[in-house]
Amino acid sequence: MEQYLRQLIEIAFLDKKEIFTGFLIDYSDDWILLRNNPVDFVLDGFVILKNKNIESVNRDPDLAFTEKVIRMKGLKINSDDIIPIKDLASIMNFIAQNYGVFQIAKKSSKSAYLGKLIELNDEELTIDFLDTRGQFGGDLAFNPEKIRVIEFDTDYINSLKLVIPDDQK
């Protein structure tokens, strides 16, 4: 992974259909931090992937071209983008303090869950679920071991944060 730092890469997993594309910002034994490139020449937030069941890490001429265009647009990847990714607790605490709302997904890409952190311990990650209208809708609990993808600072999340009443932020 070291050779891909600060470069645009694709990551495919053995057990997920979705391919993740982004600038590799940092990685640890358990997690990978990308500046998300969901489509074309667009950067949209950050994605943290569980470093599990990786099938391939790819950087081809098309990705090099996309990276060149993104850099020409003035978008930079810098050390300010690095967050602690040592373990799930450090990740979640950093995101909760600095961004508030995040999105998590398990192995299946069919569902993703937005919310803000309520509690994290060895057995459970509990969030206050945020619905598609910007309303908090109660607690949802997850097995921390099942969390595979964490996204934050995306346009979608930031748009929903605009309609959250101030007393609930």
Side-chain angles (χ1 to χ4, degrees):
M1 290 293 259
E2 182 74 28
Q3 73 268 27
Y4 295 121
L5 275 173
R6 310 285 181 269
Q7 294 183 14
L8 189 64
I9 60 170
E10 286 180 340
I11 299 177
F13 292 86
L14 294 168
D15 57 351
K16 288 178 80 62
K17 291 181 182 170
E18 187 177 4
I19 294 176
F20 294 90
T21 304
F23 283 87
L24 178 63
I25 296 173
D26 200 8
Y27 64 94
S28 68
D29 289 342
D30 296 324
W31 299 96
I32 298 167
L33 173 63
L34 298 176
R35 184 76 163 95
N36 195 24
N37 171 230
V39 65
D40 298 329
F41 309 112
V42 175
L43 293 181
D44 187 19
F46 297 86
V47 62
I48 301 173
L49 305 168
K50 185 112 181 203
N51 195 352
K52 177 180 179 181
N53 296 331
I54 292 177
E55 181 177 7
S56 65
V57 177
N58 180 35
R59 178 170 167 78
D60 61 21
D62 289 340
L63 289 169
F65 177 77
T66 299
E67 177 182 323
K68 178 181 175 182
V69 172
I70 289 171
R71 290 190 187 281
M72 290 175 80
K73 289 171 61 176
L75 300 170
K76 294 186 176 18
I77 307 302
N78 58 48
S79 60
D80 294 342
D81 295 333
I82 294 176
I83 71 162
I85 58 170
K86 183 180 87 164
D87 55 30
L88 186 60
S90 62
I91 292 167
M92 297 313 302
N93 289 326
F94 179 88
I95 294 171
Q97 289 176 349
N98 294 283
Y99 295 93
V101 177
F102 55 88
Q103 177 175 301
I104 59 175
K106 298 187 285 184
K107 182 172 115 175
S108 168
S109 58
K110 293 177 184 169
S111 297
Y113 307 91
L114 274 76
K116 61 182 177 181
L117 182 65
I118 294 176
E119 182 182 10
L120 173 62
N121 57 46
D122 291 341
E123 290 84 38
E124 253 181 10
L125 168 72
T126 307
I127 66 170
D128 191 356
F129 177 71
L130 183 66
D131 69 20
T132 58
R133 309 277 299 158
Q135 301 291 314
F136 286 104
D139 298 2
L140 282 179
F142 303 88
N143 178 342
E145 292 297 314
K146 300 289 185 187
I147 295 169
R148 297 281 298 275
V149 180
I150 305 165
E151 293 183 65
F152 62 98
D153 200 27
T154 66
D155 181 68
Y156 181 75
I157 292 170
N158 291 335
S159 297
L160 284 178
K161 285 169 58 175
L162 293 173
V163 298
I164 297 172
D166 287 338
D167 63 335
Q168 295 181 13
K169 288 185 180 174

